[in-house]
Amino acid sequence: MENFKIDVDGDGIALITFDVPGRTMNTLTAAVIKEIGEIAETLKSDANIKGAVITSGKTTGFCAGADLGELGGGALGGGGGAPAGEEGLKAAFEAGFALNKAFRAIETCGKPVAAAINGLAMGGGLEITLACHYRVVADNPKIQLALPEAKVGLLPGAGGTQRLPRLIGVMAAAPYLLEGKSMKPAEALALKVVHEVAPADQVVEAAKTWVKTKGDPVALWDKKDFKIPGGGPYTASGSQVFVMGNAMLRKQTYGNYPAQLNIMKAVYEGLQVPFDAALRIETRYFLKTLMSPQAKGMIRTLFLSLQELGKGSGRPAGVPHYDVKKVSVLGAGMMGAGIAYVQAMAGIETVLIDQSQEAADKGKGYAEGLVKKAVSRGKLTAEKGEAILALIHPTADYANVKGSDLVVEAVFENRDVKAAVTKLAEAQLADTAVFGSNTSTLPITGLAEASIRPESFIGIHFFSPVDKMGLVEIILGDKTDQATIAKSIDYVLKIKKTPIVVNDSRGFYTSRCFGTFVQEGMELLADGYAPAIIDNVGRATGMPRGPLEMHDDVALDLSYKIAQQTKKDLGDKYEERPFTTIIEKMVEGEGRYGRKNGKGFYDYPENGPKVLWKGLADLAPVKIDSVDKAGIEEIRTRLLYRQAVEAARCFEEGVITDPREADVGAILGWGFAPWTGGPVSLIDGIGVAKFVEACDALAQKYGSRFAPPQLLRDMAAKGETFYSRFGVKEKAAA
C-alpha cells in the first residue's frame, strides 16, 4: 500500500503505520480511505494476525483529518460528471459513506484494534481512533485531539457525531462537536475519550500490551448491555439536554450555521437507532451540510484560501526573499505598541519611537504587560519573556532608525503629522528599506508625496488589537514597485499574519467596507429604529457586534476626525448624511468618544455591564420600537448587503482583484459574518442576478448607496460569479 505499512510481530500483532508520502501531515484522501478498507479486510481474513495497533509515521502528528482541498473541490459534492437525479444522490451517498464504511469495517473486523496516538489528531484523524477499541495517547500537552469540522461549516462525518456522545454522553460531547473545542491528553483521559496516557516513546508498546493482554474486539455500543452515558433523547435527563441545547444553539448561532443544527439532528436521531443506521443518518446530514452555500464558502475561505494567502500566494515572483531583522515603529500608542510586541515575538529587533522617552516607554509597557500575562499562564518562560522584551528599544531619537530594514508609521491619522515623521525616518534609511504607513483610511499615494522614495512607500494596515488580529492589509501607492510589495509580504509572514494586497483608495478595502456596516447602523438610527433593535439584529447577522457598539469600539471621535478630513479632501463632492450631525453632537457637544472614555452610544460603568446612553433618544428620537420577522430580515439584509455591494464596487474600481483576498480580508479584518464565507461568497451563494435584483429594490427604497455597480449587472447577464470571473489567481495558485 502507498499510505500504510503493516508489520506483524511474533505475537501476531500488526503495527499499521500511517504515513502519506510527500506530505508533512497525514490526511484522509480518497486513496487513504480505499486502503483503510483493504486493511480492515486483511485484519479480518488473515488468521496470523491476532490484533492491531494503528499509529503515525509522521513526527508532526497522527492525522489532520480529511483533505479539505479534495473535499472542497467537490469530491463528495456530486460534481465532476456525477449522474443526476436519484442515481446521483446514491452516488453522492456512497462517496460520503466511504469513510464511515471503512472505519466501521476496522471496528467490526473481529480483532482487537488499538490506536497509538503519537501526535495531533483532528477531525477524521480523531474519528479513526474512536473506531478503534482502545486508545493510548502520548503524554505531551502540545497534542490536540479535536473534531473541528463545525469551524469550517461542516459536521464530523466519519462517526464523530455518533461515537463521541455514546462514549462520554451528549452534554459532555456538545462543546467538542458544536464548537470544535480541542482537548489535551490529560483532559481526554479524564473524559474517558482515551484509555491511557503514556510517555511518547512508549505509546505503541502500551497499545500492544493492551491488545496482547486484554484485547476486546467489540466496541462498547455493540455490546448488548450498552447504555448511553447520561441517557438518550427520550430519557428524563437526556431530553432536557436537547431542549436546553437547542435553545443555546439558537442563542449562539441565530440560525446562521446549518452545520451546528445538523450536528444536533444527527446526534438526536442517531442515538435512537442501531449503530449502523446511526452512521447512515450521520452521512446524510454530512452531505446535506457539505452541499450548503455556507459550508462551501467557509471551507473555501477559512481553510483553502486562508492557507494559500498565509503562504504568500500573492507575492510577486522573481524577487529574492527579504529577511526583515530590524524594524522601526513610529508612534508608541496602542497600535504602535501592539506592532512592536508582535515583531518582538517574531524575533525582530524593534525601535519604538514617540515624541518623548516617557511616551515610548509607556508603549513598551504594553508589551511588558502581555509578556507578564503569558509567563504567568505558562505560555512563556521568564527567560523567553525577557529575551522578547529586550528586542524592543523605546526612544525619542530618530537616529536609532538607522539600519532598519523596514519602518512602520503608526502615528495620529493626520496627513501633516505623517508627513513630518516620514521625512525624519527616511533621513536614516538605506535605499533598500521599506517605508510602510499604518493608516486606516488616508490614500497611500497622497501620503507618499512626503517621501523622497515613493517606489519604496507602501501601506501596511494592521488591525486592533494587533496581538489578536490575524490580518494585515498591504496597500499599493501609484509608484510602489514590485520589490516593495514582496518585501512587505515577507515581513507580514514573518510576524505570522495573513497578508492581502489591495490598490489605493480612500479607506482601501477593509476600512471602506467595514465603514458601511457602522454607517448603515447610523442610517437605521436616523430612520428612527430603537438602538437595541439595531444592535440585536446586527449581532444576529453573524457580525461579532452590533453596528452601534462596534462604532463605540473603534471610537466615535476617530470616525468624526476621519469624516472631517474626508470632507476637507473631497470638498463639494462630500455627501452629508442625516446621521453625521448625531456623531458631531455626540463628539463635540457631549464629549462622547466611545468605549475608550466610557461614553458613546453606550455608557461603560467601571463595575457592571454597558447600558445604552439615555441621552441618545434626544439626538435620535425613536420612531420604531418593535419589529416583526419581516422587519428583522430587512434590517439584516440592509446591514449585510450594504457591505457586500461595497465589496463589489471595490472590484469594479480595481481596489481589490482577488476574491480570496476579499473574503479572507473581510472575515479576518472586520469580522464579516463567517457563515457566509465572506461578502464575495455571499453574493456568489445568493446568485449575482438575485443579488442585483435585491439591491435594486433596496436602492429604490433607501437610496443610491445600495445601487449595484455595472460590474454586477454585467456578471448577472453572463451568469458569472466572482470566483469564476476573478479566480484566475486562485486557479494558478492551485
Side-chain angles (χ1 to χ4, degrees):
M1 285 181 286
E2 182 183 359
N3 302 289
F4 294 90
K5 183 175 71 172
I6 302 178
D7 295 303
V8 182
D9 66 15
D11 295 314
I13 299 173
L15 178 62
I16 302 166
T17 304
F18 186 10
D19 195 354
V20 178
R23 297 198 180 189
T24 57
M25 179 68 76
N26 290 324
T27 57
L28 298 167
T29 62
V32 168
I33 295 169
K34 180 176 179 291
E35 290 182 9
I36 292 173
E38 294 171 3
I39 289 169
E41 185 57 36
T42 299
L43 295 180
K44 183 178 180 179
S45 61
D46 192 334
N48 293 318
I49 297 177
K50 309 303 180 186
V53 171
I54 300 176
T55 193
S56 168
K58 305 290 187 188
T59 58
T60 50
F62 182 82
C63 175
D67 186 322
L68 286 184
E70 187 176 281
L71 194 65
L76 303 180
E86 186 175 343
E87 187 180 349
L89 290 174
K90 287 181 179 179
F93 179 83
E94 288 304 315
F97 191 63
L99 192 54
N100 251 330
K101 185 178 180 180
F103 287 179
R104 185 61 170 156
I106 291 284
E107 191 172 50
T108 58
C109 70
K111 310 281 177 69
V113 180
I117 308 168
N118 54 346
L120 169 146
M122 307 290 275
L126 179 58
E127 286 173 303
I128 190 173
T129 72
L130 294 177
C132 295
H133 306 106
Y134 193 79
R135 288 167 291 283
V136 184
V137 64
D139 188 8
N140 180 350
K142 292 184 178 180
I143 289 177
Q144 294 184 63
L145 310 177
L147 298 171
E149 286 87 349
K151 292 182 177 181
V152 290
L154 288 175
L155 60 77
T161 68
Q162 302 308 312
R163 290 188 177 91
L164 193 63
R166 283 171 169 82
L167 198 59
I168 65 176
V170 176
M171 183 177 289
Y176 300 100
L177 292 171
L178 297 171
E179 302 169 25
K181 181 183 175 186
S182 64
M183 61 186 89
K184 294 181 180 179
E187 182 181 357
L189 181 64
L191 284 167
K192 298 183 180 179
V193 173
V194 301
H195 301 86
E196 190 177 345
V197 175
D201 60 350
Q202 297 175 32
V203 285
V204 171
E205 194 56 42
K208 281 188 173 183
T209 298
W210 176 82
V211 173
K212 283 189 287 187
T213 61
K214 301 178 182 178
D216 183 350
V218 182
L220 287 174
W221 30 89
D222 289 327
K223 296 179 185 292
K224 290 183 179 180
D225 60 349
F226 173 72
K227 292 183 179 180
I228 299 166
Y234 284 112
T235 63
S237 57
S239 63
Q240 290 227 339
V241 172
F242 283 98
V243 170
M244 293 188 305
N246 279 327
M248 290 180 66
L249 186 65
R250 182 69 190 178
K251 180 182 178 182
Q252 292 173 356
T253 70
Y254 298 99
N256 292 323
Y257 295 86
Q260 278 77 359
L261 180 60
N262 288 340
I263 287 169
M264 288 286 284
K265 288 180 177 179
V267 173
Y268 181 79
E269 295 174 24
L271 291 183
Q272 300 178 56
V273 298
F275 193 75
D276 288 299
L279 293 179
R280 291 194 293 273
I281 287 170
E282 179 189 77
T283 295
R284 282 195 281 270
Y285 278 116
F286 171 75
L287 289 171
K288 182 179 180 180
T289 307
L290 176 64
M291 294 176 184
S292 69
Q294 292 91 332
K296 290 176 180 177
M298 291 176 73
I299 291 171
R300 180 172 58 201
T301 299
L302 298 177
F303 186 79
L304 302 175
S305 296
L306 189 58
Q307 275 198 344
E308 290 164 7
L309 297 177
K311 294 175 181 176
S313 64
R315 187 183 190 277
V319 180
H321 176 73
Y322 190 60
D323 188 10
V324 178
K325 297 178 179 178
K326 178 181 178 180
V327 176
S328 290
V329 179
L330 315 183
M334 190 69 175
M335 185 65 79
I339 296 168
Y341 169 74
V342 297
Q343 289 178 176
M345 288 292 289
I348 296 173
E349 181 186 353
T350 298
V351 177
L352 184 58
I353 298 181
D354 213 299
Q355 292 181 348
S356 68
Q357 185 66 45
E358 181 183 8
D361 289 339
K362 184 179 179 182
K364 182 175 180 176
Y366 178 78
E368 290 170 344
L370 291 175
V371 167
K372 184 178 179 181
K373 185 184 293 185
V375 171
S376 69
R377 294 179 177 178
K379 294 182 178 180
L380 283 177
T381 64
E383 294 76 18
K384 177 67 174 174
E386 289 176 7
I388 290 168
L389 292 174
L391 289 170
I392 302 176
H393 309 291
T395 182
D397 187 355
Y398 274 79
N400 291 303
V401 171
K402 193 169 185 177
S404 294
D405 302 304
L406 184 142
V407 167
V408 179
E409 168 271 300
V411 301
F412 183 65
E413 199 78 342
N414 178 283
R415 185 172 282 103
D416 295 334
V417 175
K418 290 180 181 293
V421 299
T422 299
K423 294 180 186 302
L424 287 170
E426 283 192 338
Q428 307 294 330
L429 288 178
D431 291 341
T432 55
V434 171
F435 190 99
S437 174
N438 179 57
T439 179
S440 58
T441 59
L442 300 177
I444 294 301
T445 302
L447 295 179
E449 292 173 2
S451 172
I452 57 173
R453 41 210 295 288
E455 69 283 352
S456 299
F457 195 101
I458 198 166
I460 303 179
H461 178 207
F462 287 85
F463 297 79
S464 184
V466 179
D467 56 294
K468 294 180 180 178
M469 299 296 281
L471 185 76
V472 174
E473 183 179 32
I474 295 173
I475 308 107
L476 314 184
D478 285 350
K479 296 182 180 179
T480 305
D481 63 22
Q482 294 294 297
T484 300
I485 301 170
K487 291 175 180 179
S488 300
I489 290 175
D490 290 342
Y491 160 69
V492 172
L493 295 179
K494 184 166 184 175
I495 60 174
K496 297 179 173 59
K497 303 290 184 184
T498 300
I500 64 169
V501 180
V502 305
N503 291 309
D504 206 6
S505 166
R506 184 171 298 278
F508 321 124
Y509 171 66
T510 55
S511 295
R512 174 173 165 178
C513 293
F514 165 69
T516 64
F517 176 63
V518 295
Q519 287 165 17
E520 196 58 31
M522 293 295 298
E523 296 278 4
L524 287 161
L525 190 67
D527 287 347
Y529 283 93
I533 291 175
I534 297 169
D535 273 354
N536 285 336
V537 178
R539 287 189 292 272
T541 66
M543 294 293 289
R545 304 171 85 76
L548 302 182
E549 57 187 351
M550 195 173 276
H551 206 162
D552 271 0
D553 289 347
V554 300
L556 304 186
D557 63 324
L558 176 61
S559 292
Y560 175 66
K561 288 168 184 172
I562 290 172
Q564 294 303 306
Q565 183 69 60
T566 304
K567 187 175 183 179
K568 180 180 176 182
D569 290 348
L570 297 183
D572 294 339
K573 294 181 181 179
Y574 180 75
E575 182 184 4
E576 288 277 0
R577 298 298 304 161
F579 62 78
T580 55
T581 56
I582 298 174
I583 291 294
E584 183 176 341
K585 289 176 181 177
M586 289 181 72
V587 173
E588 292 289 351
E590 302 289 342
R592 302 188 71 85
Y593 303 152
R595 183 183 286 272
K596 69 180 184 180
N597 78 331
K599 298 185 299 181
F601 292 108
Y602 292 81
D603 285 320
Y604 299 87
E606 289 187 13
N607 298 310
K610 68 178 185 289
V611 291
L612 278 163
W613 175 46
K614 292 181 179 179
L616 185 57
D618 296 328
L619 298 180
V622 174
K623 302 173 188 174
I624 306 169
D625 59 7
S626 66
V627 286
D628 57 14
K629 187 175 181 180
I632 291 171
E633 188 57 34
E634 177 137 327
I635 295 172
R636 277 171 53 97
T637 302
R638 284 177 64 174
L639 292 170
L640 284 176
Y641 283 32
R642 179 66 187 89
Q643 298 175 76
V645 78
E646 196 66 29
R649 291 191 186 111
C650 287
F651 271 94
E652 182 173 70
E653 296 169 23
V655 175
I656 195 161
T657 59
D658 188 331
R660 297 173 307 164
E661 293 181 322
D663 280 340
V664 169
I667 293 176
L668 293 189
W670 75 87
F672 187 85
W675 63 269
T676 65
V680 167
S681 287
L682 174 68
I683 297 173
D684 282 357
I686 293 167
V688 177
K690 286 185 178 180
F691 184 78
V692 167
E693 183 181 349
C695 285
D696 278 335
L698 288 168
Q700 188 173 7
K701 193 171 183 179
Y702 297 111
S704 61
R705 64 185 183 276
F706 286 103
Q710 187 60 43
L711 169 68
L712 282 180
R713 298 190 189 281
D714 293 343
M715 289 171 62
K718 296 176 182 178
E720 293 176 328
T721 67
F722 277 94
Y723 277 88
S724 67
R725 180 175 178 126
F726 295 97
V728 176
K729 291 182 183 178
E730 183 180 58
K731 292 171 186 174

